[in-house]
Amino acid sequence: MYEKYTRQSLPNDDYRELLGSAISVFNSNNAFIIENILKISGDQHNWWELIDRTSGNILHKVMKEQYSDVIPENIISLFSELVEQRDRIIHSFQITGPEPNPDQEQLLATKVKGSGEQFIITRKYLLNFIQKNQTLFDLLYDFRNI
């Protein structure tokens, strides 16, 4: 599929909408994580400093090292899963192919970090990612209101 703003071949509208939604919900949760950290950290952190960090840095250097005694493990664990899934989406490559893509659509594929295993980022993968982000949002909302 082509659009007037690029001559490069693109995935279809539905796939791109899911991809955009996946990134948007993750970004929203990343900001919500920062808000929760600010709530529990006092003057130790500020929004400007935290928003400049990568999500992986926030996860490891802030959530795990500094606040694992305050932030529930289920939030840290789920955010960790989502950071890894988001990284697979961002570090993906575009494919067109007959197997397992018989319609020869443009899709994204990625590989498992540290291995040669490759997989297609399917609509199901994106929908699962979006649903996991909803679960994280619910956990963060409940944590914020404690």
Side-chain angles (χ1 to χ4, degrees):
M1 164 178 265
Y2 297 94
E3 296 289 349
K4 59 185 170 192
Y5 50 80
T6 183
R7 293 188 323 238
Q8 294 179 327
S9 184
L10 299 170
N12 69 35
D13 292 344
D14 175 60
Y15 189 82
R16 286 184 286 149
E17 182 179 342
L18 283 174
L19 188 58
S21 296
I23 298 303
S24 292
V25 296
F26 180 86
N27 288 349
S28 178
N29 275 338
N30 194 70
F32 204 5
I33 291 274
I34 289 171
E35 287 178 32
N36 277 281
I37 290 169
L38 292 174
K39 181 181 176 188
I40 62 177
S41 74
D43 292 336
Q44 188 171 358
H45 297 285
N46 66 61
W47 186 86
W48 298 103
E49 174 249 331
L50 291 174
I51 201 68
D52 283 344
R53 292 179 181 231
T54 64
S55 300
N57 184 278
I58 289 172
L59 173 66
H60 295 291
K61 300 289 183 189
V62 180
M63 293 174 75
K64 285 184 176 181
E65 289 182 11
Q66 296 178 15
Y67 301 110
S68 62
D69 59 331
V70 180
I71 299 172
E73 175 55 36
N74 61 342
I75 289 176
I76 293 172
S77 177
L78 184 53
F79 188 60
S80 179
E81 283 179 44
L82 289 168
V83 167
E84 178 57 32
Q85 280 189 277
R86 188 282 316 263
D87 288 352
R88 295 303 88 221
I89 293 168
I90 296 301
H91 298 287
S92 61
F93 49 93
Q94 205 158 305
I95 63 163
T96 305
E99 290 295 329
N101 187 7
D103 297 331
Q104 296 199 12
E105 295 179 84
Q106 292 287 307
L107 297 172
L108 297 178
T110 192
K111 69 176 202 64
V112 177
K113 188 175 182 178
S115 83
E117 180 187 348
Q118 296 181 15
F119 64 93
I120 294 175
I121 298 174
T122 62
R123 286 168 177 78
K124 182 178 179 181
Y125 183 92
L126 294 171
L127 287 167
N128 176 268
F129 180 77
I130 291 166
Q131 182 55 51
K132 281 184 180 179
N133 270 280
Q134 181 60 50
T135 300
L136 179 60
F137 174 84
D138 293 342
L139 292 170
L140 290 168
Y141 183 82
D142 291 344
F143 176 66
R144 182 177 179 91
N145 291 315
I146 291 177

